[in-house]
């Protein structure tokens, strides 16, 4: 009895394509840990750095293996990795500041002060010519 099988992307395993089997697998600790490991890649580095800095180093992880992985109450980052994470956070802050500066609108009359290139409607007003203008013309 073959049938179709279900592939779990997080755990990289095949299982019978049955609703109860999938529910049992998705609620299991192995799947939960694998899914959390996968989703952790997309977390904000600043958030990760702040949470890991508060923890003490994990002795099990430093000796080779910690079965609690992301659910461990201790830090799984070395000092070197924490410093690299801090550099990433600093670079993100700098790039955010640069983006804000680029978004500032530049008005064309401030960035291009040459009046010869602008059409008459955009050229600065000459008040001496305004005094010479005769507004008492007969209309129509």
């Amino acid at each position: 009895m073959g049938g179709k099988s279900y592939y779990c992307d997080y755990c990289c395993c095949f299982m019978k394509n049955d609703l109860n089997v999938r529910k049992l697998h998705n609620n299991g600790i192995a799947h939960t840990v694998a899914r959390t490991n996968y989703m952790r890649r997309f977390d904000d580095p600043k958030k990760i750095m702040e949470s890991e800095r508060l923890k003490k180093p994990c002795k099990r992880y430093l000796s080779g293996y910690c079965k609690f992985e992301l659910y461990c109450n201790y830090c799984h980052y070395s000092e070197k990795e924490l410093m690299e994470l801090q550099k990433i956070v600093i670079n993100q802050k700098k790039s955010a500041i640069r983006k804000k500066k680029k978004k500032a609108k530049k008005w064309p009359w401030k960035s291009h002060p040459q009046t010869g290139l602008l059409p008459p409607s955009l050229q600065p007003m000459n008040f001496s010519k305004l005094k010479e203008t005769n507004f008492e013309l007969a209309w129509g």
Side-chain angles (χ1 to χ4, degrees):
M1 187 164 113
K4 294 186 177 183
S5 59
Y6 175 77
Y7 180 74
C8 178
D9 290 321
Y10 299 117
C11 303
C12 300
C13 66
F14 288 96
M15 64 193 80
K16 185 178 176 184
N17 192 11
D18 181 45
L19 181 63
N20 293 329
V21 172
R22 281 186 280 141
K23 279 186 179 179
L24 186 66
H25 171 77
N26 290 342
N27 291 332
I29 189 72
H31 177 78
T32 307
V33 168
R35 185 182 65 221
T36 308
N37 279 338
Y38 179 79
M39 296 307 283
R40 183 87 185 253
R41 289 192 256 171
F42 306 108
D43 278 352
D44 184 31
K46 182 179 179 181
K47 178 182 152 189
I48 295 171
M49 186 185 73
E50 288 172 356
S51 65
E52 293 295 326
R53 286 245 184 232
L54 299 174
K55 298 177 184 178
K56 295 178 183 177
C58 180
K59 294 178 184 176
R60 289 188 195 115
Y61 186 77
L62 295 175
S63 65
Y65 177 74
C66 177
K67 67 179 180 179
F68 299 107
E69 294 185 10
L70 293 177
Y71 296 104
C72 186
N73 293 329
Y74 299 98
C75 180
H76 287 189
Y77 287 90
S78 66
E79 284 298 320
K80 184 179 179 183
E81 291 171 331
L82 285 173
M83 292 302 289
E84 288 176 15
L85 196 58
Q86 186 174 6
K87 287 179 185 177
I88 291 170
V89 170
I90 290 170
N91 287 338
Q92 281 184 342
K93 284 182 184 177
K94 287 180 182 177
S95 66
I97 291 170
R98 278 189 225 122
K99 284 181 183 177
K100 284 183 182 178
K101 287 182 180 178
K102 283 184 180 180
K103 283 186 179 180
K105 291 185 178 179
K106 293 182 179 178
W107 300 101
W109 55 84
K110 290 185 180 177
S111 60
H112 301 293
Q114 303 94 357
T115 57
L117 301 175
L118 293 174
S121 61
L122 293 178
Q123 289 181 5
M125 201 176 235
N126 190 349
F127 292 107
S128 63
K129 285 187 178 180
L130 188 63
K131 287 181 182 178
E132 296 171 4
T133 307
N134 183 11
F135 288 106
E136 296 178 12
L137 295 175
W139 291 90

